[in-house]
Amino acid sequence: MAELLFWPALLAYGEACVAYAGNMWRPGTLGRLATWGVRVGWLVQTGLLGLQATRADGFPWDTWADSLNLFVWLVVGIYLVWGCRARYGLLGLAVMPLAVVLLLVAWAGGGTEAGGPSRYSDLFLVLHVGSVLVAFAAFTVAAALAALYLWQERRLKDGSAGSVLRLRAPSLGALDKLSARTIALAFPALTIGIATGLARLASHGGDFDATVVATLVAWVVYATFMVVRYGAGWRGRRAAYLVLLGFALVLLVRLGLPLTHA
Amino acid sequence: MRLVLVGISHHRAPLEVRERLFVDAAGARELAVELAQAGEEAVCLSTCNRTELYLACDHAPAAEERAVASLVALGELTETELTPLLARLSDGAAALHLFRVAAGLDSMVPGEGEILGQVRTAFEGGRPGPLLDRVFRQALHAGKKVRAQTAIAESPASVPSAAATLAQQVFDDLRGKRVLLVGAGRIAELTARNMVDRGAMLSFVANRTLEPAHQLAHRFGGRALGLEEIETELPKADVVVASTGAPGVVLTADQVERATKARRGNPLFLIDLAVPRDLDPRIGELEGCYLYNLDDLETVVSETLAHRRGEAARAEAIVAEEAARFRDWQASLDVVPAILSLRARAEEIRAGELQKVQSSLGRLSDSERRAVESVTSQIVNKLLHLPTIRMKEAAAAPDGVLYADTVRHLFGLAEDGAHTDRLARE
């Protein structure tokens, strides 16, 4: 049953990637097809996660591959908030291929199967993992927005007005604002995730491993972003670089260090 | 019912004639009311490029004459002067013309954006009936469809709109953005106006001589400055539009760099419309500064026009499809009386036959009587369904009206919808 939901979701996300790419050359129908691909894929993946939730004994996404499946769903869900607008098609071109690749990795690691016992039955642990995953998914989308900002800024700087207007990307102002808002919403989730994790660490005993340290450094980077963006009014290229730096740490934590974290 | 169009446009009528025949929205409404008094439907579409009267009537030549007389009176011209400039179209050709107008295909600049709103205003202010209501609604639909399915209206087609569109690529929303004009020339004013129309504020006008700066600033609610004050006010501006006649650079990169330090990464958008250039080209290299010159914008405009001409072929296909739909609909109107009289005749026979067996039906309960009524009605409807569909389909063909005549003949129906006495007696 899980397989019956996984493949259609992957297919829909894949269709969205192809349609977004085609939409760059001929905007219009392909963009709408891409958006529908994202919507349908996300709904089917929701069904898959629902199935996993009903069949699991406890928190169903406790392995690295399981949580990657949930992470992809969160990333696509956050993208969907404004991804239906035609002008954010280019953002879809950044987010959806990443979603396809990560979903395939999750599948290869057995993260899209249903059933089995869960290691997570502790509420604190569920809150810790859930909050961190939500924050990381939002930071991923924010990084895509920041990357799009830097690309659009380069185009505007190059002075090729014709190409800027031929291939319309979201404006610098919109990208900067959305990226900052996404981080502002995700930052409290990361804080809660870290706080619950540290509380559990204190109660159960244990040491700071590399993942904990990298997550704390990421928190410092995003906290700095919040201060300079909302406190000092900084925006533009430097703010975008800071977002990408934070995302590099998120990637490190998400992909590079899971084996070190119990 | 016929559709008639009489009007002038930029294709044939010179500016001085278009000026004389131009009416504002209130004037267009009055004209439509006046023409509708003759029992016709009327809509007047008047823009800077055209004044067109759309009428729906039973007798086209008389309606045309009334429309011409109205235009002659409006422009205080003689009929001899006006006639060679007039466009006269009817039915399908008039509808196709209106659809092309709404789609921006008949505009001076293909895909021009304002015309769709102007068509809507004319329609809302007019006196439409069934035919004009249908043709104008379809025109608005065609205009929207062309804009949605082609890229004909996507890019800016003038230097001021190109500048404003680029500014929106930086700021997204121009509302509240402060514009500094350097130079008080016509092109700078047009550019500023375009941005103000999109929500920006003209905050400063800097000029070598203060009097023109005062006049322009007064019109937009801004403040006049001398050129030496630019650097002081620059940190407060989001957009700079320069177009002085100065022989050299008016604003250097060093001046802009000093001013942008306080902006904390907030972008500064600069447009240099002057030749020779007013703004140091090195400004474009500064962080957060986006500089475009006249050549950049003119390239955008020429690319846009070429692109729009390319998209026009796709737009024409959409408009032709809509016009064909309208022609089919209008043709179907010719068979409606025949269909109505056929149905009336059938209903009369059904009711008559039921009446004949009234005494036998007297024994039936109310529910049984209703069942008999229902069954006989269904039989009649099912029998007439296919002929009705076929007549409507055939109406679009050149000889479609023959079908209606044949049905009238076969069923003994009169032209006015009543059946003949002979058939009634049988």
Side-chain angles (χ1 to χ4, degrees), chain A residues 26-27 32 87 149 152-153 155-157 159-174 177 231-238, chain B residues 148-149 154-156 162 165-166 168-173 263-267 283-292 296-297 300 303 311 314:
Chain A
R26 187 165 275 283
R32 285 191 288 279
R87 291 187 72 182
Y149 178 98
Q152 169 77 336
E153 209 238 1
R155 296 169 77 217
L156 283 160
K157 274 285 192 191
S160 172
S163 74
V164 170
L165 295 182
R166 254 196 313 279
L167 180 61
R168 298 274 181 98
S171 68
L172 292 183
K177 196 164 59 186
W234 274 100
R235 60 193 69 213
R237 199 191 299 177
R238 290 180 203 186
Chain B
Q149 294 186 6
E154 264 188 8
S155 300
T165 308
L166 277 169
Q168 283 177 317
Q169 282 289 291
V170 173
F171 297 108
D172 196 42
D173 189 353
R263 296 181 67 81
R264 296 175 173 178
N266 281 296
I283 292 171
E285 295 164 17
L286 299 175
E287 189 181 337
C289 293
Y290 306 93
L291 172 65
Y292 294 91
D296 297 327
L297 300 182
V300 169
E303 282 177 3
E311 287 294 288
R314 292 175 63 205

Side-chain angles (χ1 to χ4, degrees), chain B residues 28 50 60 71 129 161 171 194 197 242 257 259 303 334 351 353 355:
Chain B
R50 69 189 70 247
L71 291 175
S161 67
F171 297 108
N194 207 302
D197 286 347
E257 191 171 17
E303 282 177 3
D334 292 339
E353 293 305 311
Q355 190 65 39

Side-chain angles (χ1 to χ4, degrees), chain B residues 236-251:
Chain B
K236 297 176 194 161
D238 300 299
V239 177
V240 177
V241 180
S243 70
T244 74
V249 165
V250 174
L251 198 57

Side-chain angles (χ1 to χ4, degrees), chain B residues 97-276:
Chain B
H97 174 80
L98 178 61
F99 297 166
R100 293 188 75 251
V101 168
L105 291 168
D106 199 56
S107 301
M108 273 186 176
V109 178
E112 177 251 313
E114 281 181 36
I115 188 66
L116 194 59
Q118 290 166 330
V119 170
R120 180 177 288 109
T121 306
F123 171 49
E124 286 168 357
R127 287 291 175 272
L131 196 140
L132 286 190
D133 187 83
R134 165 81 187 206
V135 76
F136 270 86
R137 282 186 195 282
Q138 210 176 327
L140 294 171
H141 171 72
K144 280 188 213 160
K145 198 170 166 184
V146 161
R147 282 164 177 81
Q149 294 186 6
T150 72
I152 197 162
E154 264 188 8
S155 300
S158 68
V159 166
S161 67
T165 308
L166 277 169
Q168 283 177 317
Q169 282 289 291
V170 173
F171 297 108
D172 196 42
D173 189 353
L174 291 185
R175 273 178 296 180
K177 298 290 176 243
R178 288 158 298 189
V179 179
L180 162 63
L181 277 192
V182 182
R186 180 76 182 138
I187 184 77
E189 181 184 344
L190 286 173
T191 306
R193 184 172 291 284
N194 207 302
M195 292 194 185
V196 168
D197 286 347
R198 299 177 197 217
M201 301 181 297
L202 179 56
S203 300
F204 310 104
V205 181
N207 202 45
R208 188 171 53 80
T209 51
L210 275 178
E211 186 47 35
H214 272 302
Q215 285 176 6
L216 191 54
H218 180 69
R219 278 209 293 282
F220 286 92
R223 190 157 72 80
L225 309 171
L227 290 180
E228 66 287 352
E229 292 175 85
I230 291 175
E231 192 178 341
T232 320
E233 302 299 347
L234 193 55
K236 297 176 194 161
D238 300 299
V239 177
V240 177
V241 180
S243 70
T244 74
V249 165
V250 174
L251 198 57
T252 67
D254 290 339
Q255 284 176 300
V256 175
E257 191 171 17
R258 281 195 293 275
T260 51
K261 271 184 182 156
R263 296 181 67 81
R264 296 175 173 178
N266 281 296
L268 180 64
F269 183 75
L270 304 104
I271 294 284
D272 191 349
L273 301 172
V275 179

